[in-house]
Amino acid sequence: MSKTALSKFRQAVLQIPLWLYFIVSVYPLFWMVSYSFKNNDEIFVSNPFGLPTHFRYENYINAWTQFNIPRYFLNSLVVSTISTLFILLLALMFAFAVARMRWRFRSAVRTYMIIGMFMPLQVIMIPLAILVRDFHLTNTYGALILPYIAIGLPFSSMIFYGFLIAIPKEIEEAACMDGANIYRLFLKIIMPLALPAIATVAIFQFLNNWNEFTLAYILISDENMKTLPLGLLFFQGSYSTDWGAMGAVMTMASLPMVLVYLFLSEQVERAMTVGSAVKG
């Protein structure tokens, strides 16, 4: 065997684990989309793993028209978008304050924020439900938006802190010599440099808020305020379930996340290497 053929053979062998990982990662998405075009018989008996023998587009029509999917979709979009925007803004401001500024108790405040990452959701459920009731937020967007912001802040702040702490001080000093105050420094210098980290946190938090079920199940009981994960419960009947329509809903629910990732994927990839680039 020649050296060229041997090199190609080695490359092919080395790529086998990557192809296996690719198949394992992509197949659940393929399976979800394919079973959204099937009926219950195909899903469970005749063709559970293959392509649909007949593409039943009526599953999407039934899911969209016979159930309150547009309302659930709108509620999830409003709650997830507003929560993510506030998390990004507040976490970035907090990280800037503790990473780039010198003031008393900043280490204690950062430690307090880190503790929030280890607080189990089950511990705060009852106090949170009481607070939401006392503030008359039950069955409103605020009942979900405010807890989502509070829960998302610790992790996001630490991500931004790790990113901002690596930015050379010379950049700030140069901006100050040019006459930039603290607000201009944050808006014109820090925020553009932090775009890769912002994109990464945005994807992570939007995904968490979009798929969150436990708090929504506890704090929302009004039909018109329910989010998409809650809406999936209505597809499970006492005697039969339209699994094809449920697959259609899950496929539609996944589309915003796929679009968000495709839109921000370049920034996420930059986040993996921007630390060394900034230092260089």
Side-chain angles (χ1 to χ4, degrees):
M1 181 180 294
S2 65
K3 290 185 177 180
T4 304
L6 183 61
S7 177
K8 290 182 178 179
F9 176 75
R10 288 177 178 174
Q11 290 181 0
V13 172
L14 291 175
Q15 289 177 358
I16 290 176
L18 297 178
W19 281 108
L20 290 175
Y21 178 76
F22 172 78
I23 293 172
V24 171
S25 300
V26 172
Y27 184 77
L29 183 63
F30 163 78
W31 183 79
M32 180 184 68
V33 176
S34 66
Y35 108 76
S36 69
F37 291 102
K38 301 177 182 177
N39 58 15
N40 288 0
D41 179 67
E42 270 194 283
I43 293 172
F44 293 106
V45 180
S46 60
N47 183 26
F49 301 111
L51 285 170
T53 55
H54 173 67
F55 285 86
R56 293 175 170 80
Y57 299 100
E58 60 270 21
N59 288 340
Y60 285 85
I61 298 174
N62 293 337
W64 191 262
T65 57
Q66 296 183 7
F67 299 92
N68 205 10
I69 295 303
R71 187 66 190 180
Y72 302 149
F73 199 93
L74 176 64
N75 292 337
S76 288
L77 186 64
V78 171
V79 170
S80 302
T81 302
I82 296 177
S83 302
T84 304
L85 289 177
F86 274 97
I87 289 173
L88 292 175
L89 178 63
L90 298 177
L92 187 58
M93 292 170 62
F94 175 83
F96 175 71
V98 296
R100 311 303 300 184
M101 301 172 68
R102 297 291 178 266
W103 45 284
R104 185 179 296 181
F105 305 126
R106 71 184 184 94
S107 297
V109 172
R110 185 168 64 88
T111 303
Y112 177 77
M113 184 65 79
I114 292 175
I115 293 174
M117 294 172 56
F118 305 101
M119 190 70 67
L121 181 61
Q122 293 80 2
V123 174
I124 64 171
M125 276 185 182
I126 295 177
L128 180 61
I130 295 174
L131 279 175
V132 169
R133 182 200 62 191
D134 292 345
F135 282 97
H136 305 289
L137 292 174
T138 305
N139 290 323
T140 65
Y141 287 139
L144 297 180
I145 291 174
L146 293 178
Y148 288 174
I149 293 173
I151 293 172
L153 276 178
F155 178 77
S156 303
S157 299
M158 292 307 104
I159 293 292
F160 286 137
Y161 175 83
F163 187 87
L164 296 184
I165 201 71
I167 296 177
K169 289 186 175 297
E170 289 77 7
I171 296 178
E172 287 183 353
E173 293 172 355
C176 292
M177 291 180 67
D178 289 338
N181 56 25
I182 191 70
Y183 303 104
R184 189 175 178 186
L185 177 66
F186 178 75
L187 295 174
K188 300 293 185 180
I189 305 298
I190 297 300
M191 286 190 69
L193 287 175
L195 277 180
I198 292 173
T200 304
V201 173
I203 291 176
F204 182 81
Q205 293 297 345
F206 191 86
L207 178 63
N208 277 351
N209 297 332
W210 185 266
N211 293 328
E212 202 284 327
F213 176 82
T214 306
L215 286 180
Y217 185 73
I218 294 173
L219 301 175
I220 299 296
S221 58
D222 187 347
E223 176 67 22
N224 289 323
M225 297 303 298
K226 288 182 177 178
T227 55
L228 206 49
L230 287 180
L232 288 175
L233 289 176
F234 290 92
F235 287 89
Q236 292 184 330
S238 302
Y239 304 100
S240 65
T241 299
D242 189 352
W243 292 99
M246 182 180 285
V249 174
M250 289 194 290
T251 302
M252 289 187 287
S254 303
L255 281 179
M257 290 312 310
V258 174
L259 293 176
V260 169
Y261 179 77
L262 291 177
F263 183 71
L264 299 175
S265 60
E266 185 178 349
Q267 295 292 338
V268 174
E269 292 172 1
R270 287 180 56 191
M272 304 300 176
T273 56
V274 73
S276 59
V278 170
K279 290 177 181 177

